[in-house]
Amino acid sequence: MDKRKKGKIVALANQKGGVGKTTSAINIGASVAKLGKSVLVIDSDPQGNTSSGLGFPSRKINGHLYNCYTGETGVSDVIRSVEGIKKLDVLPTHMDLIGVEVELVSADKREGVLSNLLSPIKNEYDYIFIDCPPSLGLLTINALTASDSIIIPMQCEYFALEGLSQLVTTVRLVKKSYNKKLNIEGLLLTMFDKRNRLTFQVAKEISQHFGKMVYRTVIPRNVRLSESPSFGKPVLLYDNKSSGAVSYLKLAREFLRKQGRDVKK
């Protein structure tokens, strides 16, 4: 890792479900690692889809994020290496994580628990990506409090902007109250279907609203991209020639260029 730079934590969040958030967490993480950066992907969604999509379904793991929240184990003890991609690790989760929302309600400084957990390992990685649940509850607030920035995946559909203002408001509140460094890294357009005229209209509208905050790279609808999680692999390992794999690798390059980081050829 470049010793002159500190590790950066990026949350992927959108309270609207089905927008490609988990797919993006898996494949941005894998693609950035493929380009030579050390990456940790944290599954902070109790559904555990990021964990299984990287080869660690809950039935196969002993320690997970919930155990870290409860103080049973340290973060370093439950991190696992992803097979097939060097420099890519995952901190898996389990459906037990849903209990955190209840257990932390009366805890002191409950919004900063994840930030404290990640503090000892943050600079061991170039990037840490956190997949958030599709809600604005305590798990998401913890992720935003721990993060330097947020990527917002958005599906190219009619209701794409629905709920976005609420998310932006939440980001502002977290920034004001808990995490002054938090900013929006970018908006990512997913499930782009170039055969559908509405897709282009939605993309144009989002770009008009948010300008340079929108990534130029869009993620297409792609069968191989949809299939890869069921095999426990990022799309780069499942089919590196597919349009989904090519797009996420292109996005990773764009992401790194915006960071001012060198990009491996």
Side-chain angles (χ1 to χ4, degrees), residues 77-94:
D77 297 324
V78 296
I79 289 174
R80 302 286 182 263
S81 296
V82 176
E83 188 176 346
I85 298 183
K86 293 179 180 179
K87 297 189 175 185
L88 178 61
D89 291 345
V90 60
L91 200 174
T93 200
H94 187 276

Side-chain angles (χ1 to χ4, degrees), residues 26-27 30-31 222 224-226 228-229 233-246 248:
I26 292 170
N27 291 294
S31 298
N222 178 239
R224 307 300 270 176
L225 192 56
S226 302
S228 59
K233 295 179 179 181
V235 71
L236 273 174
L237 294 180
Y238 181 64
D239 184 353
N240 66 359
K241 297 280 201 303
S242 67
S243 61
V246 171
Y248 272 111

Side-chain angles (χ1 to χ4, degrees), residues 1-261:
M1 190 167 103
D2 187 347
K3 299 296 183 182
R4 295 168 299 176
K5 293 184 181 289
K6 293 183 179 180
K8 183 170 187 176
I9 302 178
V10 182
L12 284 92
N14 191 330
Q15 78 272 28
K16 186 174 172 59
V19 297
K21 178 180 55 59
T22 294
T23 298
S24 295
I26 292 170
N27 291 294
I28 290 174
S31 298
V32 170
K34 188 71 174 177
L35 293 174
K37 306 303 179 186
S38 54
V39 173
L40 171 65
V41 177
I42 298 176
D43 190 351
S44 189
D45 185 344
Q47 296 176 85
N49 293 333
T50 294
S51 302
S52 59
L54 286 170
F56 293 92
S58 58
R59 66 181 183 278
K60 290 187 177 181
I61 54 176
N62 295 319
H64 40 78
L65 184 57
Y66 176 73
N67 303 124
C68 300
Y69 266 105
T70 58
E72 298 170 59
T73 187
V75 168
S76 296
D77 297 324
V78 296
I79 289 174
R80 302 286 182 263
S81 296
V82 176
E83 188 176 346
I85 298 183
K86 293 179 180 179
K87 297 189 175 185
L88 178 61
D89 291 345
V90 60
L91 200 174
T93 200
H94 187 276
M95 65 171 54
D96 288 349
L97 186 67
I98 200 167
V100 166
E101 301 253 345
V102 176
E103 293 172 31
L104 290 184
V105 164
S106 58
D108 186 40
K109 297 181 179 179
R110 60 186 183 270
E111 299 85 2
V113 176
L114 183 60
S115 181
N116 292 333
L117 289 172
L118 298 182
S119 181
I121 64 147
K122 178 177 179 179
N123 292 331
E124 293 179 14
Y125 295 91
D126 289 306
Y127 294 100
I128 296 175
F129 296 100
I130 306 176
D131 181 29
C132 299
S135 70
L136 295 178
L138 202 47
L139 286 170
T140 297
I141 298 299
N142 261 267
L144 295 179
T145 302
S147 297
D148 298 290
S149 62
I150 173 176
I151 291 175
I152 305 174
M154 300 179 67
Q155 187 176 351
C156 291
E157 61 165 22
Y158 184 72
F159 294 112
L161 295 172
E162 188 180 78
L164 183 60
S165 61
Q166 186 181 357
L167 177 57
V168 171
T169 298
T170 299
V171 171
R172 287 174 181 160
L173 289 172
V174 171
K175 184 180 179 75
K176 181 179 179 181
S177 303
Y178 311 117
N179 180 7
K180 289 182 170 52
K181 67 181 183 295
L182 182 66
N183 63 78
I184 296 177
E185 184 82 35
L187 279 73
L188 173 63
L189 301 181
T190 65
M191 304 180 195
F192 193 94
D193 185 354
K194 57 186 178 183
R195 300 168 300 178
N196 188 335
R197 183 180 298 176
L198 178 62
T199 294
F200 290 94
Q201 293 174 343
V202 171
K204 182 179 179 181
E205 184 177 354
I206 293 172
S207 294
Q208 286 174 341
H209 272 81
F210 297 98
K212 292 182 178 180
M213 290 176 65
V214 183
Y215 286 108
R216 295 177 66 182
T217 305
V218 298
I219 307 302
R221 286 192 179 276
N222 178 239
V223 173
R224 307 300 270 176
L225 192 56
S226 302
E227 290 174 346
S228 59
S230 64
F231 290 86
K233 295 179 179 181
V235 71
L236 273 174
L237 294 180
Y238 181 64
D239 184 353
N240 66 359
K241 297 280 201 303
S242 67
S243 61
V246 171
S247 295
Y248 272 111
L249 202 55
K250 183 179 178 183
L251 174 66
R253 292 181 186 277
E254 182 180 356
F255 170 82
L256 290 173
R257 281 195 299 269
K258 288 180 75 173
Q259 312 298 311
R261 294 281 184 111

